[in-house]
Amino acid sequence: MLLNKVITNIRSIIDDFNLERFHDSLMNAQGKLFISELDKCRVLIHKESIYMSNNYYDIDKIPHTKIFIGFDILLKKIVLYYLNNLRILDYLLIHDNYAYLFYERQNKKGEKRYFKNSSSDKRIDQDINQSVLKQTLTFYKNGYLYQKDNDLSVIMNREHINIQGHGFSESARKSFYEYLERLAASTKLKNTIFDNYDNLKRNYSVIHPKKLGLYANHFDENLVAYDDSLNTIWANGKSLRNNKGILIPEQYVQYLYKNHVNQFIYDNSNGCALGNSLEEATLFSLLELIERETFLNFWFNDKNLSLRELYLDSNLYKNKYLFFGNEGYELRVFLIKNNVDIPVVLAIIFSEDGNKPINCLIGTGAHMNILHAVDSSIEELYYAFNAYNNFTNPNNLRRRIQKCYEKKKLENIEEHVLYFASKEGTRLVKKK
């Protein structure tokens, strides 16, 4: 194999190192590069050149990703990743059992690239002007209502209650971004196609609704029964598998849009996500999808999924336990072990005396960094808790919860939340 040939060439010249021979041995293998782990030396690959040096590089000032190298297979993957992403990566540094992937500061057009300040940050930097964003949203779709209460900031659209965002009051940025994300999911898309699957499949790459989920039985008089001759609106998408265009039924994408033509599915959430770049938005949309898929599969008894309780003892998390404890609730946090090996975390609060309007609430989060997943799950739980406790009359809330429990059929996601917030629903959650 090509990689075996290259690594053999490298190891044969390590003892009597010669930069010219080292460079030639790499470039002779059809331009492919491979670096074996070296002691007491740095290896720097810069697109077309190879350097070895004992000099110190002030790497902390340059945007990069740091990866621990435990074995050769991982190093091969890192180098191959570098070679396949030269459009965004500037150079690769191997030193002291670590690989450092450095990113270009500008793209080919000279436009600035955005990076995290630290590898532990959840998102990359953004430079959106907050004042301009607020002013723009003020005049879009009849504007919004904005309120701060205690530690929470809430923004809600005037005409569509499901278009809302939550964040901590000291930084309203998150609430406005979440609002913008849901606003985008409620907008009519441009350049759509009105046709049916039977016609479109002859000339376009088109995804069948069955792959996205259809009802086994027609159960709602407000929905149309789907078949391949049903005309509906199709949106332009791009497949992450092959980077090619594909048509998708608009109602699966714009889940908060009210006026779908021939609506055949009911949807209240999907993998819609906002990001500071297309790549970041794509990543977080996938995490949203993994989070929901994992939780629902667990709830409906997927035997491959299991819970493991997490015990968080840092001061940051002790404060969160203390907050809910002071409100009369027990906070518990669980990792849902799954097959994709991406942490999905479930946070739950249970009323300790059973006499509160809300007896149980949950929040979920997913991220490659388990601490980010934990934070997301508790934040989601915190926002819901504050929304019900600070923005809802307790007596009205009790009546709504009791009404949901007594209903024979739950009709939307909020009714499910209120059902499991009841004493009877809470018993089901604890049993699960």
Side-chain angles (χ1 to χ4, degrees), residues 1 7 13 97 100 137 160 223 266 308 311 322 350 366 375 411-412:
M1 293 177 63
I7 191 170
I13 61 172
N97 294 321
Y100 301 84
L137 295 177
H160 196 329
L223 298 177
Y266 168 75
R308 189 182 79 192
Y311 298 94
L322 184 61
F350 295 109
D375 291 341
E411 298 179 0
N412 55 56

Side-chain angles (χ1 to χ4, degrees), residues 290-300 305 336 344 346 362 364:
I290 291 169
E291 172 191 320
R292 286 159 174 74
E293 177 82 0
T294 301
F295 171 73
L296 289 174
N297 283 338
F298 164 75
W299 185 257
F300 291 107
L305 303 176
I336 307 179
V344 176
L346 171 67
I362 70 170
T364 54

